[in-house]
Amino acid sequence: MSILGTRVLRTEDPRFLTTGGVYTEDVVDERLAGACHVTFVRSPVAHAKISEIDVSAALAAPGVVAVITGADLADLPTIEPAMAGLINGKMRQRLLATDTVRHVGEAVAAVVTESAYQGEDAIELVQVDYDLLPAVVDMTAAAADEVVLHADAGTNTAADFGSPDSLKADLFDGCEVVVSQTIVNQRVAPAPMETRAAAAVWGDDGRLTAWVPNQGAQGTRGSLAKLLALEEAQIRVITPDVGGAFGAKFGADPEHAVVAWIARYLGRPARWTETRYENLISMTHGRAQRQQVTIGGSKDGTVQAYRLEVLQDAGAYPRIGAILPFLTILMTPGPYAFPRAEAIAKTVVTNTTPVGAYRGAGRPEATAAVERAIDLFAAAAGVDPAQVRRKNLLPTFTEPHQTAFGALYDSGDYVAALDKALAAAGYDELRTEQQRRRASGDVRQIGIGLASYVEITGAGDEAGAPNENASVEVHPDGTATILTGTSPHGQGHATAWAMIASDELGIPVEKITLKWGDTDLIPEGGGTGGSRSLQLGGAAVQQASKELLDVARQRAADQLEANPADLVFDVGRSAFAVAGDPDASVPLAALAEGERLLVRTVFAAAGATFPFGTHVAVAEVDTETGKVVLRRMVTVDDAGVVLNPLLAEGQRHGGIAQGAAQAFLEEVLYDADGNPLTTSFADYPILSATEMPSFELADMATPTSYNPLGAKGIGEAGTIGSTPAVQNAVIDAVAYLGVRHIDMPTTPRRVWQAIRDAAHDGSEHG
Amino acid sequence: MRVELTVNGEHRSAEVEPRLLLVHFLRERCGLRAANVGCDTTSCGACTVLLDGKSVKSCTVLTVQAAGQQVTTAEGLGEPGNLHPVQAAFQREHGLQCGFCTPGMVMATVGLLAENPNPTEEQVREGLEGNLCRCTGYHNIVRAVLAAAGSAGQAAPAAAEVSA
Ligand code: FES
Ligand code: FES
């Protein structure tokens, strides 16, 4: 029986559970002996001219080796925005700010000390004089260009995706019901448990070796090369264990480059680990959109037209977040068959932390918008939201479906996913219970929230083209080694890729070693992000294993003096045998004696895949205090054929939790002057175990034909579905009181306020 | 200052700065790097170890405060080929992904089960409130703790054993 589809336990776990992972800060390597420590001095103000930096007191402090400022790095290029073609190229950044700081947390100097504790003391002694400038925190204010952050650019608009002039005045003509709503998709912090870090050393050969927590060593090498004006061949990036990333550890940040620069400048290895405070103010944030949705249709619940207008906050310097509205627009209609739909977006810079990718990256924002719109429309039309979804979902398709926004959905059965989720949740019983509580005037009301979604995975937008390489080598001792261009940081590739190779080669999983994240060993690779790994990297491992068997078959034929076509590969014995003569056989491992038995291949997919599903959230809302308790999360997440249910469920759990946390808990906050208010885990309401229920997962698997595994991505689906499901549930709980919408996070204060406002409106109009 | 303490059953005597945190002593002076630092505000629990059998956040304990006591870290609990029942339950239930929170989560679990060998799901969630995990959504962590509690009451004696 094939091992594929079974719950194989992770082979990587015993190490993590005992000695613990070896994260960048844990790396012990003789090349790093005697490393100095780097601590960054960061701007305490959101927008200012730097008039003077005085490092003399810091230089005199115990253990201080050097203090580096932007002036020292003057010969390095300024940092281009991500996707320079799409973004205003004049919005540039320096590795260390020289004349202007544009957000609290921007690095202005680096103190180098013998020990980490000395660094914390010495940064206090660096004197920076700031001449304050007005801070622009709100996106609408930024778009008005009254204060411009990047004088060269002459505007705060980093990019426009379509023009307001293109919107059709008659889009909603003929609609019996039209609803509009402004929706805030708030800024959140990725907050991986491991913060950012780096270790760097230069060899006598003039090459840099850098250890960086990342999502793809090759991409990090590329970023470092750009930031340091080096050739990629001059850099070796090594990926230690990575303590979570969620989109925020792609490439390299300015700090990583500064640490590498310091190691060269001082001729001595350098290390850096940021504090959580630094992480929350200077690692990229996610989401940060303000959306305007308009939806119209007939009273029976049929949608005829939908419009989405997006304002994206890029933060102070345009990174990948600045172009994510592109993905939001791509996924505008979600799983629905809207006859008419249109979308535009604008990205602006503000005096806040730069915005990057965060689990889902552009797609959760599209889903949140359309799923709120569907509920708003259902409420206005007086039709049950499940019914509105069923009426408007695309019917089952097996041939790819082309959307008006340029996406090609590979396969889908959206109504089945909806029905399955409703059945698993007991939707009708939940509505009955809701009626009962409403009738009895219970203080604690329940709300049922739905979200049907489709998303795009393995697209290549975040992590290179839709292809991936793998090498598989069988050794004479019966073990095997796989090299992959993906970059696991919790996903369990060591186990999953071994399962795929084992299934082909008949070598037990525990005898297969996976290697990744060393650019000298694996020069190419797209890393792990955009839920791409299994459908591309896993497929590459399978393809390499099959090609390896082709090579081995020829060798076996030579040894057995048989025609290759007459040989059968017995997976159970991991041996080739002559058909009809099982005694005439040779083990696969024996064919690796003498000449290496090694194949490298590149798997290229026909295109991106489109996982889909439906989430049902049940929230209990205290109508006196506004407090929300998430009671149930029932989800159907169809990501095609599942390789290892244990791992797939883990991805769903983590995604569901992060998405739900955005809906009712988490938000990065700034005051009007651009001071961050959520700078520790005491202030940023990061999700804890007490705030989640156990999840109820229902399975569904619609294969894709775009890879031989039949797999789609599962890393982000949970996040995409759960955010609007939970938000819709909270609003549904209090809808009978006249509440139409509550922005995320649905904190007790917001919910309480919404109930109060609705009562007030009701009494005015009633 | 000179400090004497026992770490994973081994007696240690060291000269330390008074402000040296226990987590840094363990990581840098003992080479025990399973416990991690994930925050600056005693919020995340990634640094959790046992001090005389009780779970503590080692980023909040000065090394000198641990003088004369028994410190147990994940390294001292089990080995890759011979996992402690709590560690084994975490593997079986897929209670870890990136692993960063894991050593702390495991030690917090051992501490929790020593105090309450048969917790309900709600008690597990409350007991682990001070240990953050960004990867798992807590679902499988809770399963692992309940499974460890259920595994023939092994967890509690094992906890007593390591603190002995
Ligand atoms: S490091 Fe976060 S609680 Fe100790
Ligand atoms: S497993 Fe990654 S933080 Fe818990």
Side-chain angles (χ1 to χ4, degrees), chain A residues 192-194 242-244 246 489-490, chain B residues 95-102 105 132-136 141:
Chain A
M193 291 312 297
E194 181 205 23
V242 176
F246 314 111
H489 42 280
Chain B
L96 62 150
Q97 292 184 25
C98 81
F100 197 84
C101 72
T102 306
M105 203 64 86
L132 300 176
C133 173
R134 199 57 162 164
C135 298
T136 63
I141 289 176

Side-chain angles (χ1 to χ4, degrees), chain B residues 36-48 57-60 130:
Chain B
N36 292 311
V37 175
C39 73
D40 337 309
T41 47
T42 324
S43 308
C44 78
C47 61
T48 305
K57 293 179 173 177
S58 65
C59 71
T60 320

Side-chain angles (χ1 to χ4, degrees), chain A residues 17 23 26 117 276 666 687, chain B residues 24 27 38 87 98 134 138:
Chain A
L17 285 159
Y23 305 96
D26 300 334
Y117 281 30
R276 180 58 62 187
E666 296 183 14
L687 178 73
Chain B
H24 291 144
R27 291 175 53 84
Q87 292 167 321
C98 81
R134 199 57 162 164
Y138 304 101

Side-chain angles (χ1 to χ4, degrees), chain A residues 9-21 23 25-28 117-118 121 189-195 241-244 246 275-278 358-359 489-491 646-647 649-651 653-655 657-658 661 666 679-682 684 686-696, chain B residues 17 19-21 24 27-28 32-41 43-44 46 73-83 86-88 90-103 106 121-122 124-140 142-143:
Chain A
L9 298 185
R10 296 209 318 177
T11 54
E12 47 272 73
D13 285 356
R15 182 172 66 85
F16 281 118
L17 285 159
T18 53
T19 53
Y23 305 96
E25 202 189 0
D26 300 334
V27 169
V28 177
Y117 281 30
Q118 290 165 337
D121 295 341
M193 291 312 297
E194 181 205 23
T195 59
D241 287 322
V242 176
F246 314 111
T275 63
R276 180 58 62 187
Y277 166 74
E278 291 180 280
Y358 175 55
R359 205 166 190 168
H489 42 280
Q491 295 82 355
L646 196 71
L647 300 180
E649 288 163 13
Q651 288 299 307
H653 293 154
Q658 271 180 338
E666 296 183 14
T679 60
S680 76
F681 283 158
Y684 185 78
I686 187 169
L687 178 73
S688 79
T690 52
E691 289 144 337
M692 280 291 117
S694 282
F695 307 127
E696 301 162 62
Chain B
E17 255 191 89
R19 66 168 168 172
L20 184 69
L21 298 172
H24 291 144
R27 291 175 53 84
E28 282 147 33
L32 297 168
R33 295 186 176 81
N36 292 311
V37 175
C39 73
D40 337 309
T41 47
S43 308
C44 78
T73 71
E75 289 99 333
L77 209 58
E79 289 166 20
N82 182 26
L83 296 178
V86 169
Q87 292 167 321
F90 269 73
Q91 180 180 27
R92 232 173 20 247
E93 301 294 330
H94 187 30
L96 62 150
Q97 292 184 25
C98 81
F100 197 84
C101 72
T102 306
V106 164
E121 168 169 348
E122 206 177 326
V124 171
R125 288 184 181 274
E126 273 161 21
L128 295 180
E129 190 176 15
N131 286 72
L132 300 176
C133 173
R134 199 57 162 164
C135 298
T136 63
Y138 304 101
H139 182 105
N140 282 345
V142 172
R143 298 273 89 68

Side-chain angles (χ1 to χ4, degrees), chain A residues 463-477:
Chain A
N467 60 46
E468 189 51 87
N469 74 90
S471 301
V472 175
E473 178 169 17
V474 171
H475 306 290
D477 65 356

Side-chain angles (χ1 to χ4, degrees), chain B residues 62-85:
Chain B
L62 296 171
T63 311
V64 293
Q65 290 175 309
Q69 301 190 58
Q70 315 258 354
V71 182
T72 312
T73 71
E75 289 99 333
L77 209 58
E79 289 166 20
N82 182 26
L83 296 178
H84 179 277

